[in-house]
Amino acid sequence: MQNKKILIINGHPDQESFSYGISEAYKAGAESSSAEVKEIRIRELEFNPNLQFGYRKRTELEPDLLRAQEWIKWADHLVWVYPVWWGSVPAIMKGFIDRVFLPGFAFKKREGSVWWDKFLGGKTARLICTLDQPAWYYRIVYRSPSHYAMKKLTMQFVGVKKVRITTIGPIRLSKDTFRNKWLRKIEALGRQNK
């Protein structure tokens, strides 16, 4: 049986954040299972996050984004790690998605139709998000807008059908015991390649 190919994409702009601990825990678990693991730390990439002309006119991709596309194609399983800010993802992560998940790479709109072809089928994904509020509150009161956008309007839009979500919160007032418990859970997810 072939080892699973996992790409971890960290969307937090601060390398000292808990998101980096989460990425490392998942990576440690996945590597212990003999999975092949690659990692993209969006904050370390050199690129313009602004899709300046939308889809009207092509903006050439920087080398870091071309490599990101190669790694996304390579991966069986995409693991996104990021904080939820203002009910969404950090600006740098949104810019990465805008610039990388382009027509021709991730999907293609059909001529004269409202439908599209999905080019990233056959992959799975895990979204690991941190919040400064309890996960239940985000789900019940706000209806999890970032979860919906990432799962339905991004991953499933391009063909990644099976998307699981892990929500960790509240982080802001959390103690080390809370964080360490979550790091152990995340490492277990990595070992299971989920």
Side-chain angles (χ1 to χ4, degrees):
M1 184 171 156
Q2 184 181 348
N3 293 341
K4 199 163 201 177
K5 295 181 286 192
I6 298 174
L7 177 61
I8 301 169
I9 304 171
N10 190 316
H12 203 302
D14 181 2
Q15 68 182 355
E16 295 179 19
S17 70
F18 186 52
S19 290
Y20 275 76
I22 291 168
S23 289
E24 289 305 308
Y26 190 97
K27 183 178 179 181
E31 287 178 340
S32 75
S33 75
S34 298
E36 294 180 61
V37 181
K38 293 185 181 186
E39 187 174 11
I40 294 173
R41 297 174 174 184
I42 296 174
R43 72 174 299 280
E44 296 175 2
L45 305 182
E46 291 187 27
F47 73 104
N48 178 356
N50 183 22
L51 186 61
Q52 187 172 358
F53 305 107
Y55 297 144
R56 179 179 58 81
K57 183 177 169 184
R58 182 171 171 81
T59 302
E60 290 304 314
L61 291 175
E62 295 86 347
D64 283 348
L65 297 187
L66 290 170
R67 183 172 53 255
Q69 286 185 336
E70 287 174 21
W71 288 5
I72 289 166
K73 280 188 205 171
W74 164 87
D76 301 315
H77 186 59
L78 304 172
V79 179
W80 294 84
V81 181
Y82 57 93
V84 173
W85 288 348
W86 295 104
S88 188
V89 301
I92 193 74
M93 182 171 150
K94 178 65 168 72
F96 174 84
I97 292 167
D98 285 351
R99 294 290 315 284
V100 170
F101 286 78
L102 294 170
F105 167 71
F107 69 97
K108 180 183 177 192
K109 299 219 173 165
R110 295 177 188 165
E111 191 71 36
S113 173
V114 296
W115 304 111
W116 64 99
D117 297 314
K118 304 172 182 186
F119 292 164
L120 298 180
K123 301 179 186 303
T124 58
R126 164 79 58 181
L127 313 177
I128 305 174
C129 321
T130 60
L131 303 165
D132 280 338
Q133 60 194 276
W136 63 264
Y137 189 86
Y138 185 65
R139 185 180 65 253
I140 293 170
V141 175
Y142 295 118
R143 298 188 181 176
S144 307
S146 65
H147 294 358
Y148 188 86
M150 278 298 294
K151 179 178 180 173
K152 299 281 187 186
L153 303 173
T154 306
M155 292 289 87
Q156 291 179 348
F157 184 91
V158 298
V160 182
K161 289 183 183 176
K162 191 172 184 182
V163 182
R164 293 186 172 131
I165 303 173
T166 301
T167 310
I168 306 170
I171 291 297
R172 188 172 60 88
L173 303 174
S174 66
K175 306 277 190 258
D176 285 345
T177 51
F178 176 85
R179 291 178 181 222
N180 290 333
K181 180 180 117 181
W182 269 108
L183 291 176
R184 287 191 299 274
K185 287 182 179 181
I186 297 301
E187 187 171 348
L189 284 175
R191 269 194 307 278
Q192 297 164 16
N193 299 174
K194 291 184 177 178

